[in-house]
Structure formats: C-alpha cells, structure tokens
Amino acid sequence: MKKIICMFLMMGFILTPIIGQSSYASEYMLAPNDQLEIKIVGQKDLDTKQVIAPDGSVSLPLLGRVTAQGQTLTSFNAYLSAEFAKYIKNPQVVVYLIPRPIYVIQHDVKKNTWDVKEAKSINEARAMAGRNYTGEIKNGDIVSVEVSQKPDFWEDNWYKVVTATAVLVGIYISIHK
C-alpha cells in the first residue's frame, strides 16, 4: 500500500510541472538568456541548470549542444525525451523555466545615490519598490523608484539660517550701540 501511495505522489511530482503550467508558460517560446532546469528522473547525474546561449543552444550531458531557442517548453521537453531515449530506456524528462530576476533601482534623491537590488519574486520586488509604486511588475523587469523626497531647502538648512540670523542680529546690535 505504501508503495502505491509513493508511486502516486511521485507521478504527481513529475506531472505537476507539465500539467500545472500556465498557458503563458506552455506557449512561451524559449529565447537566449532564459534559464532552464532540466531533470531526468532517476538520473541525478544528468540533471542540470543551463542558460540558453546567444546562439540559442544549451549543452547537455550525453547530447552535447542542442537548440532550445524558438521551441515551447512542451516541444523542447518532447524533443529531449526523444533524444535521451537513444541512451536511456524510457527517460522521464522534465524541463522547468526558471523566472528571470527583477532588478529594482532605488534612487535616493536626498543623497543623490542609486542602489540596485535583485528580487527573486514579484512580491519581493513590490516590497523593495515600496507601497507608493503602482506600476505592473513582471519577471525580467527593471523597476526604478525614488526612495526619498527631493531635498527641501528649509528642512535641510533651517539651523544654518537661524544661526546666521542670530549672528547678523548680534553684529547689528553691537554696531548700533
């Protein structure tokens, strides 16, 4: 009984990335700089993470360089299954598209400095951008936000103005005595 439950759980684990993908992910055409995680069930030594090279290819164990650019995740998964079948009996290949990081550029207007932070999720990027940011954020975006108010002359220099005024009043009083 435990073996049957384990088999169902394993099948759920294997099929979830394939069945559970959004329509966007299944229709998305792979392109250079996309990061893929490729797993062959039961062949841990063949599991790999690859970034699609500028020429549209990835380098995989046993297969060498294969073209990924222009294929959907589903078609690339089927292609790899067919190619690995030449070397492995009934390979179960799973291809994941790892989302691109989101970069948040925080401009501190008061100090006139910029800080670039990398967010691993949309929620993390939204938190870095702050509650005043209302724009849409997607994976791979570069979001620019201002994290402080523009300098206010009075707020930044009130003590200088008061000190200078006191000195001038003191000089004026000492001259007119």
Side-chain angles (χ1 to χ4, degrees), residues 1 3 40 67 80 140 168:
M1 183 67 173
K3 288 183 181 180
I40 296 89
T67 301
L80 291 181
L168 289 175

Side-chain angles (χ1 to χ4, degrees), residues 64-82:
R65 296 210 69 78
V66 296
T67 301
Q69 179 178 356
Q71 297 188 54
T72 64
L73 283 174
T74 306
S75 65
F76 190 56
N77 194 51
Y79 170 75
L80 291 181
S81 293

Side-chain angles (χ1 to χ4, degrees), residues 36-52:
L36 302 175
E37 184 172 355
I38 302 166
K39 294 185 175 270
I40 296 89
V41 177
Q43 302 288 329
K44 266 201 177 312
D45 54 326
L46 298 178
D47 292 351
T48 183
K49 286 184 180 179
Q50 295 284 319
V51 174
I52 299 177

